[in-house]
Coordinates of all heavy atoms in Angstrom, one line a residue:
D1 N -4.3 17.9 9.0 CA -5.1 16.9 9.8 C -6.4 16.7 9.1 O -7.0 17.5 8.5 CB -5.3 17.4 11.2 CG -4.0 17.5 12.0 OD1 -3.0 16.8 11.6 OD2 -4.0 18.2 13.0
G2 N -6.9 15.4 9.3 CA -8.3 15.1 8.9 C -8.5 15.0 7.4 O -9.4 15.6 6.9
F3 N -7.6 14.2 6.7 CA -7.8 14.0 5.3 C -7.6 12.6 4.9 O -7.0 11.8 5.7 CB -6.9 15.0 4.5 CG -5.4 14.7 4.6 CD1 -4.8 13.8 3.6 CD2 -4.6 15.2 5.5 CE1 -3.5 13.5 3.7 CE2 -3.3 14.9 5.6 CZ -2.7 14.1 4.7
S4 N -8.0 12.2 3.7 CA -7.7 10.9 3.1 C -7.4 11.1 1.7 O -7.8 12.1 1.0 CB -8.9 10.0 3.4 OG -10.0 10.4 2.7
V5 N -6.8 10.0 1.1 CA -6.4 10.1 -0.3 C -6.4 8.6 -0.8 O -6.1 7.7 -0.1 CB -5.0 10.8 -0.5 CG1 -3.9 10.0 0.2 CG2 -4.7 11.0 -1.9
R6 N -6.6 8.5 -2.1 CA -6.5 7.2 -2.8 C -5.6 7.4 -4.1 O -5.9 8.3 -4.9 CB -7.8 6.7 -3.2 CG -7.7 5.4 -4.0 CD -9.1 4.9 -4.5 NE -9.9 4.5 -3.3 CZ -11.2 4.8 -3.2 NH1 -11.9 5.3 -4.2 NH2 -11.9 4.4 -2.1
W7 N -4.6 6.7 -4.2 CA -3.8 6.7 -5.4 C -4.0 5.4 -6.2 O -4.1 4.3 -5.6 CB -2.3 6.7 -5.1 CG -1.8 8.0 -4.5 CD1 -1.5 9.2 -5.2 CD2 -1.6 8.3 -3.1 NE1 -1.1 10.2 -4.3 CE2 -1.1 9.7 -3.0 CE3 -1.7 7.6 -1.9 CZ2 -0.8 10.3 -1.9 CZ3 -1.4 8.2 -0.7 CH2 -0.9 9.5 -0.7
T8 N -4.0 5.4 -7.5 CA -4.1 4.2 -8.3 C -3.1 4.3 -9.4 O -2.7 5.4 -9.8 CB -5.5 4.1 -8.9 OG1 -5.8 5.2 -9.7 CG2 -6.6 3.9 -7.9
G9 N -2.7 3.1 -9.9 CA -1.7 3.1 -10.9 C -1.3 1.7 -11.2 O -2.1 0.7 -10.9
T10 N -0.2 1.5 -11.8 CA 0.4 0.2 -12.1 C 1.8 0.1 -11.7 O 2.5 1.1 -11.6 CB 0.2 -0.2 -13.6 OG1 1.0 0.7 -14.4 CG2 -1.2 -0.2 -14.0
V11 N 2.3 -1.1 -11.5 CA 3.7 -1.4 -11.3 C 4.0 -2.6 -12.2 O 3.2 -3.5 -12.4 CB 4.0 -1.7 -9.8 CG1 3.3 -3.0 -9.3 CG2 5.5 -1.8 -9.6
T12 N 5.2 -2.5 -12.8 CA 5.7 -3.6 -13.7 C 6.8 -4.3 -13.0 O 7.8 -3.7 -12.6 CB 6.1 -3.0 -15.0 OG1 5.1 -2.3 -15.6 CG2 6.6 -4.2 -16.0
A13 N 6.7 -5.6 -12.9 CA 7.7 -6.4 -12.3 C 9.0 -6.4 -13.1 O 8.9 -6.7 -14.4 CB 7.3 -7.8 -12.0
E14 N 10.1 -6.2 -12.6 CA 11.4 -6.2 -13.3 C 12.0 -7.6 -13.4 O 12.7 -7.9 -14.4 CB 12.4 -5.3 -12.7 CG 12.1 -3.8 -12.8 CD 13.1 -2.9 -12.2 OE1 14.2 -3.4 -11.8 OE2 12.9 -1.7 -12.1
A15 N 11.6 -8.5 -12.5 CA 12.1 -9.9 -12.5 C 11.0 -10.8 -12.0 O 10.1 -10.4 -11.2 CB 13.3 -10.0 -11.6
T16 N 11.0 -12.0 -12.5 CA 10.0 -13.0 -12.0 C 10.5 -13.6 -10.7 O 11.7 -13.8 -10.5 CB 9.9 -14.2 -13.1 OG1 9.4 -13.7 -14.3 CG2 9.0 -15.3 -12.5
G17 N 9.6 -13.7 -9.8 CA 9.9 -14.2 -8.5 C 9.1 -13.6 -7.4 O 8.1 -12.9 -7.7
E18 N 9.4 -13.9 -6.2 CA 8.7 -13.3 -5.0 C 9.1 -11.9 -4.8 O 10.3 -11.5 -4.8 CB 9.0 -14.2 -3.8 CG 8.3 -15.5 -3.8 CD 8.3 -16.2 -2.5 OE1 9.1 -15.9 -1.6 OE2 7.5 -17.1 -2.3
H19 N 8.1 -11.1 -4.5 CA 8.3 -9.6 -4.2 C 7.4 -9.3 -3.0 O 6.3 -9.9 -2.9 CB 7.8 -8.8 -5.4 CG 8.7 -8.9 -6.6 ND1 8.6 -10.1 -7.4 CD2 9.6 -8.1 -7.2 CE1 9.5 -9.9 -8.4 NE2 10.1 -8.8 -8.3
A20 N 7.8 -8.4 -2.2 CA 7.0 -7.9 -1.1 C 6.9 -6.4 -1.3 O 7.8 -5.7 -1.9 CB 7.7 -8.2 0.2
F21 N 5.8 -5.8 -0.8 CA 5.6 -4.4 -0.8 C 5.6 -3.9 0.6 O 5.3 -4.6 1.5 CB 4.2 -4.1 -1.5 CG 4.2 -4.4 -2.9 CD1 3.9 -5.7 -3.4 CD2 4.5 -3.4 -3.9 CE1 3.9 -6.0 -4.7 CE2 4.5 -3.7 -5.2 CZ 4.2 -5.0 -5.6
Q22 N 6.1 -2.6 0.7 CA 6.2 -2.0 2.1 C 5.7 -0.6 2.1 O 5.9 0.1 1.1 CB 7.7 -2.1 2.5 CG 8.0 -1.7 3.9 CD 9.4 -2.0 4.2 OE1 10.3 -1.2 3.8 NE2 9.7 -3.0 5.0
T23 N 5.0 -0.2 3.2 CA 4.6 1.1 3.3 C 5.1 1.7 4.6 O 5.5 0.9 5.6 CB 3.0 1.2 3.4 OG1 2.5 0.4 4.5 CG2 2.4 0.8 2.1
L24 N 5.2 3.0 4.7 CA 5.5 3.7 5.9 C 4.4 4.7 6.0 O 4.2 5.5 5.1 CB 6.9 4.4 5.8 CG 7.1 5.4 7.0 CD1 7.2 4.7 8.3 CD2 8.4 6.2 6.7
S25 N 3.6 4.6 7.1 CA 2.5 5.5 7.3 C 2.3 6.0 8.7 O 2.7 5.4 9.7 CB 1.2 4.8 6.9 OG 0.9 3.7 7.7
D26 N 1.8 7.2 8.8 CA 1.3 7.7 10.1 C -0.1 8.1 9.9 O -0.5 9.1 9.4 CB 2.1 9.0 10.5 CG 1.7 9.6 11.8 OD1 0.6 9.3 12.3 OD2 2.5 10.3 12.4
D27 N -0.9 7.2 10.3 CA -2.2 6.8 10.4 C -2.5 5.7 9.3 O -1.6 5.0 8.9 CB -3.2 7.9 10.5 CG -3.1 8.7 11.8 OD1 -2.6 8.1 12.8 OD2 -3.3 9.9 11.9
G28 N -3.8 5.6 9.0 CA -4.3 4.4 8.3 C -3.7 4.2 6.9 O -3.6 5.1 6.1
V29 N -3.5 2.9 6.5 CA -3.0 2.6 5.2 C -3.6 1.2 4.7 O -3.7 0.3 5.6 CB -1.4 2.5 5.1 CG1 -0.9 1.5 6.0 CG2 -1.0 2.4 3.7
R30 N -4.0 1.2 3.5 CA -4.4 -0.1 2.8 C -3.8 -0.1 1.4 O -3.8 0.9 0.7 CB -5.9 -0.2 2.7 CG -6.6 -0.4 4.0 CD -8.1 -0.5 3.7 NE -8.8 -0.6 5.0 CZ -10.1 -0.2 5.2 NH1 -10.7 0.5 4.2 NH2 -10.6 -0.4 6.3
L31 N -3.3 -1.3 1.1 CA -2.6 -1.5 -0.2 C -3.2 -2.7 -0.9 O -3.2 -3.8 -0.3 CB -1.1 -1.6 -0.1 CG -0.3 -1.9 -1.4 CD1 -0.4 -0.7 -2.4 CD2 1.1 -2.3 -1.1
W32 N -3.7 -2.5 -2.2 CA -4.1 -3.6 -3.0 C -3.2 -3.8 -4.2 O -2.8 -2.8 -4.8 CB -5.5 -3.3 -3.5 CG -6.7 -3.4 -2.6 CD1 -7.5 -4.5 -2.4 CD2 -7.1 -2.4 -1.7 NE1 -8.4 -4.2 -1.4 CE2 -8.2 -2.9 -1.0 CE3 -6.7 -1.1 -1.4 CZ2 -8.9 -2.2 -0.1 CZ3 -7.4 -0.4 -0.5 CH2 -8.5 -0.9 0.2
I33 N -2.9 -5.0 -4.5 CA -2.1 -5.3 -5.7 C -3.0 -6.3 -6.6 O -3.4 -7.3 -6.1 CB -0.8 -6.0 -5.4 CG1 0.1 -5.1 -4.5 CG2 0.0 -6.3 -6.7 CD1 0.5 -3.8 -5.1
D34 N -3.4 -5.9 -7.8 CA -4.3 -6.6 -8.6 C -5.6 -7.0 -7.9 O -6.0 -8.2 -8.0 CB -3.6 -7.9 -9.2 CG -3.1 -7.7 -10.6 OD1 -3.2 -6.5 -11.1 OD2 -2.6 -8.6 -11.2
G35 N -6.1 -6.1 -7.1 CA -7.4 -6.3 -6.4 C -7.3 -7.1 -5.2 O -8.3 -7.4 -4.5
R36 N -6.1 -7.5 -4.8 CA -5.8 -8.3 -3.6 C -5.3 -7.4 -2.5 O -4.3 -6.8 -2.7 CB -4.8 -9.4 -3.9 CG -4.5 -10.3 -2.7 CD -3.6 -11.5 -3.2 NE -2.8 -11.9 -2.0 CZ -1.6 -12.3 -2.1 NH1 -1.0 -12.5 -3.3 NH2 -0.9 -12.7 -1.1
L37 N -6.0 -7.4 -1.3 CA -5.5 -6.6 -0.2 C -4.3 -7.2 0.4 O -4.4 -8.3 0.9 CB -6.7 -6.5 0.8 CG -6.4 -5.6 2.1 CD1 -6.1 -4.1 1.6 CD2 -7.5 -5.7 3.0
V38 N -3.2 -6.5 0.3 CA -1.9 -7.1 0.8 C -1.4 -6.4 2.1 O -0.5 -6.9 2.8 CB -0.8 -7.1 -0.3 CG1 -1.3 -8.0 -1.4 CG2 -0.5 -5.7 -0.8
I39 N -1.8 -5.1 2.3 CA -1.5 -4.4 3.6 C -2.8 -3.8 4.1 O -3.5 -3.1 3.3 CB -0.4 -3.4 3.4 CG1 1.0 -4.0 3.0 CG2 -0.2 -2.5 4.6 CD1 2.1 -3.1 2.7
D40 N -3.1 -4.0 5.4 CA -4.3 -3.5 5.9 C -4.0 -3.0 7.4 O -4.0 -3.9 8.3 CB -5.4 -4.5 5.9 CG -6.7 -4.0 6.4 OD1 -6.9 -2.8 6.6 OD2 -7.6 -4.8 6.6
N41 N -3.6 -1.8 7.5 CA -3.4 -1.2 8.9 C -4.2 0.1 9.0 O -3.7 1.2 9.0 CB -1.9 -1.0 9.1 CG -1.6 -0.6 10.6 OD1 -2.5 -0.5 11.4 ND2 -0.4 -0.4 10.9
W42 N -5.5 -0.1 9.0 CA -6.5 1.0 9.0 C -6.8 1.5 10.4 O -7.9 1.4 10.9 CB -7.7 0.6 8.2 CG -8.5 1.7 7.6 CD1 -9.8 2.1 8.0 CD2 -8.1 2.6 6.6 NE1 -10.2 3.2 7.2 CE2 -9.2 3.5 6.3 CE3 -7.0 2.7 5.8 CZ2 -9.1 4.4 5.3 CZ3 -7.0 3.6 4.8 CH2 -8.0 4.5 4.6
T43 N -5.7 2.0 11.1 CA -5.8 2.4 12.5 C -5.0 3.7 12.6 O -4.2 4.1 11.8 CB -5.1 1.3 13.4 OG1 -3.7 1.3 13.1 CG2 -5.8 0.0 13.2
D44 N -5.3 4.4 13.7 CA -4.5 5.6 14.1 C -3.2 5.1 14.7 O -3.3 4.2 15.6 CB -5.3 6.4 15.1 CG -6.6 7.0 14.6 OD1 -6.8 7.0 13.4 OD2 -7.3 7.6 15.5
H45 N -2.1 5.5 14.2 CA -0.8 5.1 14.7 C 0.3 6.1 14.3 O 0.1 6.8 13.3 CB -0.4 3.7 14.2 CG -0.5 3.5 12.7 ND1 -1.5 3.0 12.1 CD2 0.5 3.8 11.8 CE1 -1.3 3.0 10.7 NE2 -0.1 3.4 10.5
G46 N 1.4 6.1 15.0 CA 2.5 6.9 14.7 C 3.2 6.2 13.5 O 2.8 5.2 13.0
P47 N 4.3 6.8 13.0 CA 5.1 6.2 11.9 C 5.3 4.7 12.0 O 6.0 4.3 13.0 CB 6.3 7.0 11.8 CG 6.0 8.3 12.5 CD 5.0 8.0 13.6
T48 N 4.8 3.9 11.1 CA 4.8 2.5 11.2 C 5.1 1.9 9.8 O 4.6 2.3 8.8 CB 3.5 1.9 11.7 OG1 3.2 2.5 13.0 CG2 3.5 0.4 11.8
V49 N 6.0 0.9 9.8 CA 6.3 0.2 8.6 C 5.5 -1.1 8.5 O 5.4 -1.8 9.5 CB 7.8 -0.2 8.5 CG1 8.1 -1.1 7.3 CG2 8.7 1.1 8.4
D50 N 4.8 -1.3 7.4 CA 4.0 -2.5 7.2 C 4.6 -3.2 5.9 O 4.8 -2.5 4.9 CB 2.6 -2.2 7.0 CG 1.9 -1.8 8.3 OD1 1.8 -2.6 9.2 OD2 1.5 -0.6 8.4
T51 N 4.7 -4.5 5.9 CA 5.3 -5.2 4.8 C 4.3 -6.3 4.4 O 3.8 -7.1 5.3 CB 6.6 -5.9 5.1 OG1 7.5 -4.8 5.6 CG2 7.2 -6.5 3.9
S52 N 4.0 -6.5 3.1 CA 3.1 -7.5 2.7 C 3.8 -8.9 2.7 O 5.1 -8.9 2.8 CB 2.7 -7.2 1.2 OG 3.8 -7.5 0.3
A53 N 3.0 -9.9 2.7 CA 3.6 -11.3 2.5 C 4.2 -11.3 1.1 O 3.7 -10.6 0.2 CB 2.5 -12.3 2.6
P54 N 5.2 -12.1 0.9 CA 5.8 -12.2 -0.5 C 4.8 -12.7 -1.4 O 3.9 -13.6 -1.1 CB 6.9 -13.2 -0.3 CG 7.3 -13.2 1.2 CD 6.0 -12.9 1.8
M55 N 4.8 -12.2 -2.7 CA 3.9 -12.6 -3.7 C 4.6 -12.9 -5.0 O 5.6 -12.2 -5.3 CB 2.7 -11.7 -3.9 CG 3.1 -10.2 -4.2 SD 1.8 -9.0 -4.1 CE 0.5 -9.7 -5.0
Q56 N 4.2 -13.8 -5.7 CA 4.8 -14.2 -7.0 C 4.4 -13.2 -8.1 O 3.2 -13.0 -8.4 CB 4.4 -15.6 -7.4 CG 5.2 -16.2 -8.6 CD 6.6 -16.5 -8.2 OE1 7.0 -16.7 -7.1 NE2 7.5 -16.6 -9.2
L57 N 5.4 -12.5 -8.7 CA 5.2 -11.6 -9.8 C 6.0 -12.1 -11.0 O 7.0 -12.8 -10.9 CB 5.6 -10.2 -9.5 CG 4.9 -9.6 -8.3 CD1 5.4 -8.1 -8.1 CD2 3.4 -9.6 -8.4
V58 N 5.5 -11.8 -12.2 CA 6.1 -12.2 -13.5 C 6.7 -11.0 -14.2 O 6.1 -10.0 -14.3 CB 5.0 -12.9 -14.4 CG1 5.6 -13.2 -15.7 CG2 4.4 -14.1 -13.7
A59 N 8.0 -11.2 -14.6 CA 8.7 -10.1 -15.2 C 8.0 -9.6 -16.4 O 7.4 -10.3 -17.2 CB 10.1 -10.6 -15.7
G60 N 7.9 -8.3 -16.5 CA 7.3 -7.6 -17.6 C 5.8 -7.4 -17.5 O 5.2 -6.7 -18.3
R61 N 5.1 -8.1 -16.6 CA 3.7 -8.0 -16.4 C 3.4 -6.8 -15.5 O 4.1 -6.5 -14.6 CB 3.1 -9.2 -15.7 CG 1.7 -9.1 -15.5 CD 1.0 -10.4 -15.2 NE -0.4 -10.1 -14.9 CZ -1.1 -10.6 -13.8 NH1 -0.5 -11.4 -13.0 NH2 -2.3 -10.2 -13.6
R62 N 2.3 -6.1 -15.9 CA 1.8 -4.9 -15.2 C 0.8 -5.3 -14.2 O -0.1 -6.1 -14.5 CB 1.3 -3.8 -16.1 CG 2.3 -3.3 -17.0 CD 1.7 -2.3 -18.0 NE 1.6 -1.0 -17.4 CZ 1.2 0.1 -18.0 NH1 0.9 0.0 -19.3 NH2 1.2 1.2 -17.4
Y63 N 0.9 -4.8 -13.0 CA -0.1 -5.1 -11.9 C -0.7 -3.8 -11.5 O 0.0 -2.8 -11.3 CB 0.7 -5.8 -10.7 CG 1.3 -7.1 -11.1 CD1 2.6 -7.2 -11.7 CD2 0.6 -8.3 -10.9 CE1 3.1 -8.4 -12.0 CE2 1.2 -9.5 -11.2 CZ 2.4 -9.6 -11.8 OH 3.0 -10.8 -12.1
T64 N -2.0 -3.9 -11.2 CA -2.7 -2.7 -10.7 C -2.4 -2.4 -9.3 O -2.2 -3.4 -8.5 CB -4.2 -2.8 -10.9 OG1 -4.7 -3.9 -10.2 CG2 -4.6 -2.9 -12.4
V65 N -2.3 -1.2 -8.9 CA -2.0 -0.8 -7.5 C -3.0 0.2 -7.0 O -3.4 1.1 -7.8 CB -0.6 -0.1 -7.4 CG1 -0.3 0.4 -6.0 CG2 0.5 -1.1 -7.9
R66 N -3.5 0.0 -5.8 CA -4.4 1.0 -5.2 C -3.9 1.2 -3.8 O -3.8 0.2 -3.0 CB -5.8 0.5 -5.2 CG -6.8 1.6 -4.6 CD -8.2 1.2 -4.7 NE -8.7 0.4 -3.6 CZ -9.7 -0.4 -3.7 NH1 -10.4 -0.6 -4.8 NH2 -10.0 -1.1 -2.6
L67 N -3.5 2.4 -3.4 CA -3.0 2.8 -2.1 C -4.0 3.8 -1.5 O -4.3 4.8 -2.1 CB -1.6 3.3 -2.2 CG -1.0 3.8 -0.9 CD1 -0.8 2.6 0.0 CD2 0.3 4.5 -1.1
E68 N -4.6 3.4 -0.3 CA -5.4 4.4 0.4 C -4.8 4.8 1.7 O -4.1 3.9 2.3 CB -6.8 3.7 0.7 CG -7.6 3.4 -0.6 CD -8.9 2.8 -0.3 OE1 -9.2 2.4 0.8 OE2 -9.7 2.7 -1.3
Y69 N -5.0 6.0 2.1 CA -4.3 6.5 3.3 C -5.3 7.6 3.9 O -6.0 8.3 3.3 CB -3.0 7.2 2.9 CG -2.4 8.1 4.0 CD1 -1.8 7.5 5.1 CD2 -2.4 9.5 3.8 CE1 -1.2 8.3 6.0 CE2 -1.8 10.3 4.8 CZ -1.2 9.7 5.9 OH -0.6 10.4 6.9
Y70 N -5.3 7.6 5.3 CA -5.9 8.7 6.0 C -5.0 9.2 7.1 O -4.2 8.5 7.6 CB -7.3 8.3 6.6 CG -7.2 7.5 7.8 CD1 -7.1 8.1 9.1 CD2 -7.4 6.1 7.9 CE1 -7.0 7.4 10.3 CE2 -7.3 5.4 9.1 CZ -7.2 6.1 10.2 OH -7.1 5.3 11.4
E71 N -5.2 10.5 7.4 CA -4.4 11.2 8.4 C -5.4 11.8 9.3 O -6.2 12.7 8.9 CB -3.5 12.2 7.7 CG -2.3 12.6 8.5 CD -2.5 13.2 9.9 OE1 -3.2 14.3 10.0 OE2 -2.1 12.6 10.8
R72 N -5.4 11.4 10.6 CA -6.4 11.9 11.6 C -5.8 13.2 12.3 O -6.5 14.1 12.4 CB -6.7 10.9 12.6 CG -7.7 11.4 13.6 CD -8.6 10.5 14.3 NE -8.9 9.2 13.7 CZ -10.0 9.0 12.9 NH1 -10.9 9.9 12.6 NH2 -10.2 7.8 12.4
G73 N -4.6 13.1 12.7 CA -4.0 14.3 13.4 C -2.6 14.0 13.8 O -2.1 12.9 13.6
G74 N -1.9 15.1 14.2 CA -0.5 15.0 14.5 C 0.3 14.9 13.2 O 0.0 15.5 12.2
G75 N 1.4 14.1 13.3 CA 2.3 14.0 12.1 C 1.6 13.3 11.0 O 0.6 12.6 11.1
A76 N 2.1 13.5 9.8 CA 1.5 12.8 8.6 C 2.7 12.3 7.7 O 3.6 13.1 7.4 CB 0.7 13.8 7.8
V77 N 2.6 11.0 7.3 CA 3.6 10.5 6.4 C 3.0 9.3 5.7 O 2.2 8.5 6.3 CB 4.9 10.0 7.2 CG1 4.7 8.9 8.2 CG2 6.0 9.6 6.2
I78 N 3.3 9.1 4.4 CA 2.9 8.0 3.7 C 4.0 7.7 2.6 O 4.4 8.7 1.9 CB 1.5 8.0 3.1 CG1 1.1 6.8 2.3 CG2 1.4 9.3 2.2 CD1 1.0 5.6 3.1
S79 N 4.4 6.5 2.5 CA 5.3 6.2 1.4 C 5.1 4.7 1.0 O 4.7 3.9 1.9 CB 6.8 6.4 1.7 OG 7.2 5.6 2.7
L80 N 5.4 4.4 -0.2 CA 5.2 3.0 -0.7 C 6.5 2.6 -1.3 O 7.1 3.3 -2.1 CB 4.1 2.9 -1.8 CG 4.0 1.6 -2.6 CD1 3.7 0.4 -1.7 CD2 3.0 1.8 -3.7

């Protein structure tokens, strides 16, 4: 209970077209793709799925990813 974390990295699109990102979190989550905030649910909540709006990605291009998460109390889960 009572912790936060930030992960950074990259993702490479396998195909050109629209892609959406999805998180499952139990408390706050924020996701940025190439500096653009695409998921923002920075609240205390039980296990919740959040999905970004579709975004156009280009095959073979690397995109920066930043995922932030906090856990206030009770259960803890985060996945991307």
